[in-house]
Amino acid sequence: MIVHGVIITQVKKCATLKWLERRFVMFSDTITAISTANAMGAVSIIRISGDDAISIASKLIGKDLSDKPGYTIHYGTAKENNEPVDEVLISLFKAPKSYTGEDVVEVNCHGGLYITRKILSLIIGLGARMARPGEFTERAVLNGKMDLAQAEGVDDLIRAKDEVNARSAIHSLKGSVSKILMPLEDDLTQMISNIEVNIDYPEYEDVHVMTHEELLPKCNKWLEEIDKLIKTTEQSITIKEGIDTVILGRPNVGKSSLLNALLEEDKAIVTDVEGTTRDIVEGSVRLNDITLNLIDTAGVHDTDDRIEQMGIDRSLQALEKAQLAIVVLDSKKELSEDDKKLLELTKNHKRIVVYNKDDDNTIEDKLSISVKNMRLDPLLDEIKKVYEEELYAAQTDTLNNERQVGLARQARQSVNDAKNALENDTELDLVLIDLENAWHALREITGKSGKEDLLDEIFSRFCLGK
Ligand SMILES: Nc1nc2c(ncn2[C@@H]2O[C@H](COP(=O)(O)OP(=O)(O)OP(=O)(O)O)[C@@H](O)[C@H]2O)c(=O)[nH]1
Ligand SMILES: [Mg+2]
């Protein structure tokens, strides 16, 4: 046991040294950048982070700020060769209580483009280096101020165009991703530790000996959990990104009229001539918490007109790419052969069939609207109903992007491999490799992966050699 204790200490030291080495290479310099938009405004903020941040700010205004406490603001005049450049306010954040975990200074100056860039260049002249895009947040991650998923949340929040996206971003910024992954990660860690100890320390009698029969149901449970997480994430992404929706129908049923009505804009040309729309017309609109990325298409029917046929081909290509098809029929006419063909063509797509031109609201058993009278609610309600599950998923905590989903899929694949191996009575030391792969993929979602971490987890749980 004493021997094991020595090994463990060495492993831990090694990991710490490597981390320190990496930290030294990454963070030996002080970085700066303009944090506000590259446009004229009342105020601009230039951020400085690193060991020299406070001394650079002190030199900028000719006042020693080194003994001032964090979370304080100091007035001064930024000077170049003793000539005043601008009056500034300097906010101090002392390590580790700052965004990056290092000493951070934010210089508030007047928001002209020239003056902001001038002060940035003075700061660079005093020894800071221009930051790479995202480098402040990268430092925050490497200094343990936030995990990778939280850092992605920062970016998502800045880019959020609407409430759904902003709400989801603020949740991930607050650590929702690591919170939802934690139970699964913990469970896996416990299993891996248990098996690893069974294999490496058979003489350690206090530890339960894990069996195939116990592990198999666990794998099934993990598969279920990961599948659910992937599904709700994809549903939530659908709502956040908007639903690619194609409007299809034979000529003159009112497709372009419907597009214009939904967009509240005369985007597509509308006439009573069949075959008015020849190309694709697009527009996005937010209805009932759902964003529709609408595509109006050429009316689909049999035609000898070469140009119209090209438009129809485009309509059918748009259908292939769309997540939702709104098939428009004419409520005043019998179903034509073209209508029937279209219904057959779209039957395997997610679709809503709607009868337009029901101006007197006489159809009862079918979904009918009248664009002419702006009676569109039945269609809007149906869209909401079709996307009920997705709307619910968008309100819950999920993963947030394709990178995270990709890693969840990797984890799923590895758990599935472990399950197959268990079913084939494979030795547990081989099953262990699959479980470790799953563990790493899950941890990579929040940027925590690393063999050293796994060893640390195992050793801290079992306290072997103590
Ligand atoms: N009565 C009535 N007419 C409508 C309604 N919606 C559209 N129309 C009319 O139907 C005609 C065709 O409308 P469009 O929107 O151009 O039809 P479309 O399906 O885009 O036709 P193509 O582009 O030729 O495929 C126009 O005269 C519209 O004013 C409706 O709800 N009721
Ligand atoms: Mg049209």
Side-chain angles (χ1 to χ4, degrees):
M1 282 304 147
I2 293 163
V3 175
H4 293 147
V6 171
I7 293 169
I8 293 157
T9 319
Q10 279 178 351
V11 169
K12 282 193 169 173
K13 264 195 190 150
C14 234
T16 316
L17 271 178
K18 252 201 262 163
W19 186 83
L20 278 175
E21 226 173 77
R22 195 174 56 188
R23 190 183 190 286
F24 183 73
V25 173
M26 297 284 309
F27 301 157
S28 53
D29 45 7
T30 296
I31 54 171
T32 185
I34 300 169
S35 293
T36 37
N38 185 21
M40 198 168 71
V43 180
S44 287
I45 298 175
I46 300 151
R47 199 182 252 170
I48 316 171
S49 178
D51 291 347
D52 297 333
I54 296 172
S55 78
I56 288 172
S58 302
K59 286 179 203 151
L60 182 72
I61 59 168
K63 255 188 222 173
D64 184 12
L65 301 171
S66 57
D67 57 350
K68 305 285 185 227
Y71 304 138
T72 54
I73 299 180
H74 305 271
Y75 168 80
T77 304
K79 289 185 184 152
E80 183 182 33
N81 303 327
N82 253 345
E83 284 296 313
V85 173
D86 191 11
E87 289 185 309
V88 296
L89 286 175
I90 303 229
S91 310
L92 291 187
F93 305 86
K94 290 211 160 167
K97 293 182 174 175
S98 72
Y99 181 73
T100 59
E102 305 170 329
D103 281 346
V104 169
V105 167
E106 287 183 1
V107 180
N108 289 246
C109 63
H110 288 101
L113 284 175
Y114 168 77
I115 211 70
T116 311
R117 285 179 195 154
K118 177 79 196 171
I119 291 177
L120 177 73
S121 80
L122 291 178
I123 291 168
I124 290 171
L126 290 168
R129 156 174 81 70
M130 193 67 204
R132 294 187 305 272
E135 198 174 357
F136 289 95
T137 307
E138 182 185 339
R139 288 187 175 198
V141 171
L142 292 169
N143 280 326
K145 297 295 288 187
M146 60 176 82
D147 64 36
L148 199 54
Q150 285 175 294
E152 285 174 320
V154 175
D155 192 43
D156 289 346
L157 189 60
I158 293 168
R159 289 173 200 277
K161 295 186 296 278
D162 55 39
E163 200 190 324
V164 181
N165 282 277
R167 198 170 44 216
S168 145
I170 191 75
H171 277 233
S172 62
L173 183 60
K174 290 210 159 287
S176 64
V177 173
S178 51
K179 220 184 294 162
I180 47 176
L181 290 174
M182 204 181 294
L184 186 59
E185 246 177 53
D186 270 3
D187 224 11
L188 261 170
T189 312
Q190 214 162 356
M191 276 311 121
I192 292 170
S193 320
N194 203 150
I195 301 169
E196 193 132 6
V197 172
N198 290 158
I199 294 166
D200 292 350
Y201 307 98
E203 75 281 14
Y204 199 74
E205 286 163 3
D206 291 356
V207 179
H208 171 75
V209 178
M210 192 52 64
T211 63
H212 284 60
E213 289 69 34
E214 277 173 281
L215 257 178
L216 198 54
K218 285 255 172 212
C219 282
N220 283 324
K221 187 178 123 258
W222 294 330
L223 283 176
E224 241 175 65
E225 285 173 11
I226 299 173
D227 280 342
K228 188 167 166 230
L229 188 58
I230 291 173
K231 187 173 173 204
T232 52
T233 302
E234 283 179 338
Q235 289 174 325
S236 156
I237 289 176
T238 302
I239 295 296
K240 284 195 279 182
E241 291 187 350
I243 299 156
D244 295 334
T245 307
V246 63
I247 306 174
L248 287 173
R250 68 184 156 86
N252 245 7
V253 289
K255 301 178 294 300
S256 303
S257 307
L258 177 61
L259 175 92
N260 290 349
L262 292 172
L263 296 180
E264 295 182 20
E265 161 186 0
D266 272 340
K267 189 135 194 183
I269 298 170
V270 169
T271 72
D272 56 2
V273 178
E274 295 204 352
T276 303
T277 306
R278 296 280 172 119
D279 214 336
I280 276 171
V281 186
E282 294 174 273
S284 279
V285 64
R286 190 160 179 78
L287 306 161
N288 288 339
D289 279 344
I290 299 176
T291 300
L292 297 181
N293 304 320
L294 292 163
I295 305 168
D296 174 30
T297 59
V300 179
H301 70 135
D302 274 337
T303 178
D304 294 331
D305 184 322
R306 205 165 60 89
I307 298 172
E308 197 182 7
Q309 186 57 48
M310 287 165 85
I312 294 171
D313 291 344
R314 288 192 181 190
S315 306
L316 300 178
Q317 283 164 14
L319 172 66
E320 289 306 315
K321 290 191 208 134
Q323 292 163 296
L324 174 69
I326 299 178
V327 180
V328 185
L329 304 173
D330 189 331
S331 66
K332 291 198 167 84
K333 291 188 176 155
E334 290 293 309
L335 271 194
S336 68
E337 277 311 305
D338 288 326
D339 289 329
K340 286 181 192 156
K341 271 193 208 158
L342 203 55
L343 288 172
E344 181 62 24
L345 197 69
T346 53
K347 73 173 184 207
N348 294 326
H349 282 74
K350 198 166 199 160
R351 73 169 181 197
I352 296 172
V353 180
V354 64
Y355 289 77
N356 186 31
K357 305 196 185 182
D358 183 18
D359 302 335
D360 307 320
N361 196 7
T362 48
I363 301 182
E364 280 179 3
D365 55 335
K366 290 175 183 137
L367 183 66
S368 78
I369 56 170
S370 165
V371 177
K372 185 180 166 197
N373 296 342
M374 283 307 279
R375 193 173 62 77
L376 303 174
D377 277 353
L379 174 62
L380 302 187
D381 292 346
E382 183 65 17
I383 294 172
K384 200 167 176 181
K385 208 161 102 197
V386 169
Y387 283 95
E388 206 170 12
E389 255 189 52
E390 283 82 354
L391 276 166
Y392 180 73
Q395 313 274 341
T396 60
D397 283 340
T398 60
L399 304 179
N400 283 308
N401 53 40
E402 297 303 337
R403 182 193 72 83
Q404 296 174 5
V405 174
L407 287 164
R409 280 191 212 289
Q410 273 181 32
R412 191 203 185 279
Q413 180 62 48
S414 298
V415 174
N416 204 42
D417 291 346
K419 179 191 154 173
N420 290 337
L422 286 166
E423 283 171 346
N424 291 325
D425 268 337
T426 309
E427 294 290 325
L428 282 190
D429 50 357
L430 292 177
V431 177
L432 186 65
I433 296 171
D434 293 325
L435 293 181
E436 283 186 359
N437 287 341
W439 187 91
H440 281 296
L442 284 181
R443 303 259 300 181
E444 225 176 282
I445 293 176
T446 47
K448 286 186 293 197
S449 198
K451 181 77 180 169
E452 311 93 63
D453 294 347
L454 182 53
L455 291 173
D456 275 356
E457 293 269 356
I458 292 170
F459 294 135
S460 67
R461 271 161 203 264
F462 284 89
C463 304
L464 293 170
K466 269 201 179 151

